[in-house]
Amino acid sequence: QAQIVESGGGLVQPGGFLRLSCAASGIAFGLYTLSWYRQAPEKMRELVAKITVSGGTIYADSVKGRFTISRDNPKKTMYLQMNTLTPEDTAVYFCNARWNSGDFWGQGIQVTVSS
């Protein structure tokens, strides 16, 4: 059974950094396109970053130059390094793994940027 679990969230001051991790099990991890989404209160869920099987990446304009997505296939883990955080980055962050008919989500993890 597929399982996706995020970790690494929390409270950080503006200008600070966090690294989110997304650990997967029960799926052929290397075949999946992996993404980070986020949802702020009263806002739609939005794509933050995506990494393809071949390592190609896409970022939302709001995080370009500050966030870096990466994957470690042997460890079945994806990461999101978030630097120079601002209050606008406050949201619940979700991990997504997608391939063919497989579409799996984590439960989400809170990131709060506040002084």
Side-chain angles (χ1 to χ4, degrees):
Q1 179 146 352
Q3 188 172 19
I4 307 289
V5 179
E6 302 96 340
S7 62
L11 173 64
V12 63
Q13 293 186 341
F17 63 90
L18 283 174
R19 188 174 84 153
L20 302 183
S21 298
C22 169
S25 60
I27 63 172
F29 188 81
L31 298 178
Y32 282 73
T33 293
L34 306 172
S35 303
W36 287 99
Y37 287 78
R38 68 185 180 186
Q39 187 166 16
E42 301 182 356
K43 291 189 176 180
M44 299 287 289
R45 189 173 297 188
E46 63 174 355
L47 176 68
V48 175
K50 177 182 294 186
I51 185 166
T52 67
V53 170
S54 60
T57 56
I58 295 173
Y59 294 94
D61 287 344
S62 59
V63 307
K64 281 181 183 175
R66 301 188 298 122
F67 290 12
T68 302
I69 189 171
S70 60
R71 63 191 296 164
D72 185 332
N73 288 342
K75 292 184 177 179
K76 294 190 173 183
T77 303
M78 172 177 65
Y79 304 98
L80 185 68
Q81 178 68 41
M82 307 186 293
N83 297 330
T84 320
L85 286 161
T86 75
E88 289 68 38
D89 296 314
T90 295
V92 177
Y93 284 70
F94 297 88
C95 173
N96 173 258
R98 188 171 298 162
W99 176 60
N100 285 352
S101 60
D103 187 6
F104 303 105
W105 291 86
Q107 79 286 353
I109 192 162
Q110 179 70 44
V111 171
T112 302
V113 185
S114 175
S115 55

